Amino acid sequence: MRARAVPFIAYAAVLAFFPGILSAQTPNLDSDIVQLLQQNHVPSVSIAQITDGKITLVRAYGQQDATSAATPRTLYNIASLTKPITAQVAMRLLSQGVFTPDEPMAPVWTDPDIATDERRKLLTPRMALTHQTGFANWRSMTNNKLTFQFTPGTRYSYSGEGFEYLARFMEKKTGLALDANAKKLVFDPLGMHDTAFTYQPWFQGRVAAPADDKGAWLAPRFADHPISADMVYTTAQDYALLLQAVMENRGISSQIAHERDTVQVSLKEQMCPKLPANLCPDALGVGLSWQIFRLKDTIVLMHTGHDPGLFTFAYVSPTARDGAVILTNGENGRKIVSTILRDLNAPAAFTEILTAAFK
């Protein structure tokens, strides 16, 4: 028999851990969440909000697993929200001059699968960060062999393998594995002590079990080695610390911050036809890892994550100085994001775009 999640609001547990951060009044959020979770068969959601550059709210609602309530200490597999972490490592190394955005990676790292393909010489860190490597999302899609689907730099195609390639390049450049670089350059400086690429002893009793589209529990998955594009576990609170650093350009040079916030590959022609005409942003595309929306004077950086049984979301606006992290352990988690953003008073135009896109 498959267990079903029965969501509820875990206020007592929340207040025990973060009493000072929960002063923000969010009556709409509190009243909406229970119904949102139940209607969409999403067991739980953990939320952190940034307002005026500060983390002003951290809350958890629903069930972590079949027997435990979710709390702000619950650890979620954030899926592709891993990529901005890896990108933050890369941007700090770029800012230190360890390598340059357009430096050929081939002299430092070449995957054996493409060792005889001359196109390998075209690969650069910028192409990896902007999903222009020419690789499929994962090599499992190409008979478990890394293969060029198109010439690097000629177009956009979302690729976890591109981030894996960049991670190997950074390891060769620095002599440190990805997780060691992340700890040294990102986790420790930002105080992200509840974030890890692989299973740790302190995960015990804290992991959010994923659930399918009917709310039936699935077994959590863990990486047996650091993956640059997927399967980091963290809390909403910890990820909000990363968003603060992005907002403030901490550890990042002004030039690299400009590159991050600038559309490197436009997706307007691809995405705007799917939106109501009045919602097409002034600029829409990919910067260094983040998807970028420019709405008049407001710049919004966004990323999402999806693995079986979970959906995760984060946005940060360096101009409005706000942001939010929304972590769910439900296949249908995508369906609750827009309502939560409205309740958090996220930029209205951005929320409207997501409401249309996430239907």
Side-chain angles (χ1 to χ4, degrees):
M1 180 177 179
R2 299 192 299 177
R4 296 293 297 275
V6 183
F8 65 90
I9 302 175
Y11 279 118
V14 170
L15 291 170
F17 290 110
F18 296 97
I21 293 178
L22 293 165
S23 57
Q25 297 299 309
T26 55
N28 291 337
L29 177 65
D30 297 337
S31 62
D32 285 342
I33 284 291
V34 174
Q35 186 174 15
L36 279 174
L37 295 178
Q38 290 176 341
Q39 287 182 342
N40 294 287
H41 306 295
V42 176
S44 77
V45 61
S46 187
I47 302 166
Q49 182 181 22
I50 297 172
T51 307
D52 194 24
K54 299 178 181 178
I55 299 175
T56 53
L57 179 146
V58 177
R59 288 191 180 169
Y61 305 80
Q63 289 292 117
Q64 170 182 296
D65 53 37
T67 60
S68 303
T71 79
R73 296 184 72 248
T74 297
L75 299 165
Y76 291 79
N77 170 7
I78 59 172
S80 285
L81 284 191
T82 298
K83 293 182 179 72
I85 293 175
T86 300
Q88 189 74 0
V89 172
M91 285 185 277
R92 290 193 173 211
L93 292 173
L94 284 165
S95 298
Q96 293 171 11
V98 176
F99 54 90
T100 65
D102 300 308
E103 175 180 331
M105 292 193 283
V108 177
W109 165 249
T110 294
D111 188 288
D113 286 354
I114 58 170
T116 61
D117 193 317
E118 288 297 300
R119 290 175 291 182
R120 76 189 187 281
K121 298 177 181 178
L122 301 174
L123 293 168
T124 66
R126 186 190 304 275
M127 291 177 191
L129 288 167
T130 58
H131 299 283
Q132 298 183 86
T133 57
F135 301 138
N137 191 13
W138 297 110
R139 69 182 71 199
S140 58
M141 299 174 176
T142 51
N143 296 317
N144 291 315
K145 184 175 181 179
L146 193 65
T147 306
F148 287 112
Q149 305 295 291
F150 55 86
T151 300
T154 59
R155 62 185 176 89
Y156 169 88
S157 183
Y158 191 79
S159 177
E161 287 292 349
F163 269 70
E164 284 289 273
Y165 207 96
L166 176 63
R168 301 292 85 74
F169 169 77
M170 292 191 296
E171 287 174 3
K172 295 293 184 181
K173 272 283 188 178
T174 64
L176 293 175
L178 174 62
D179 53 347
N181 265 324
K183 179 175 172 59
K184 174 184 176 182
L185 298 172
V186 180
F187 299 163
D188 284 353
L190 301 185
M192 295 175 64
H193 303 309
D194 285 322
T195 304
F197 283 84
T198 56
Y199 189 90
Q200 304 297 316
W202 46 267
F203 279 25
Q204 185 67 34
R206 298 177 59 186
V207 172
D212 68 17
D213 59 355
K214 302 301 181 184
W217 297 111
L218 306 172
R221 297 188 306 147
F222 305 97
D224 58 8
H225 66 281
I227 301 175
S228 62
D230 193 15
M231 294 184 70
V232 156
Y233 275 78
T234 191
T235 64
Q237 162 87 0
D238 251 30
Y239 207 88
L241 295 174
L242 176 73
L243 297 188
Q244 281 184 310
V246 170
M247 180 186 300
E248 297 168 1
N249 300 330
R250 251 181 277 165
I252 305 298
S253 70
S254 58
Q255 177 59 38
I256 294 301
H258 177 73
E259 297 266 12
R260 180 199 64 210
D261 298 347
T262 300
V263 171
Q264 309 273 320
V265 183
S266 177
L267 298 177
K268 281 190 71 169
E269 290 186 6
Q270 175 183 336
M271 298 184 68
C272 280
K274 302 174 184 178
L275 300 171
N278 65 310
L279 295 183
C280 185
D282 298 313
L284 171 60
V286 179
L288 299 183
S289 177
W290 295 91
Q291 188 167 340
I292 300 172
F293 299 77
R294 184 164 59 80
L295 310 157
K296 296 184 179 180
D297 295 329
T298 300
I299 294 174
V300 176
L301 311 182
M302 183 197 83
H303 213 291
T304 63
H306 175 234
D307 277 351
L310 63 97
F311 184 81
T312 58
F313 172 92
Y315 91 88
V316 60
S317 174
T319 51
R321 291 184 57 75
D322 63 11
V325 185
I326 302 172
L327 308 180
T328 81
N329 58 339
E331 181 68 26
N332 295 331
R334 175 191 194 96
K335 296 180 180 180
I336 72 174
V337 168
S338 296
T339 300
I340 292 173
L341 289 177
R342 280 196 295 273
D343 289 346
L344 294 177
N345 296 313
F350 175 61
T351 302
E352 286 186 49
I353 291 170
L354 293 188
T355 299
F358 285 3
K359 282 183 178 178

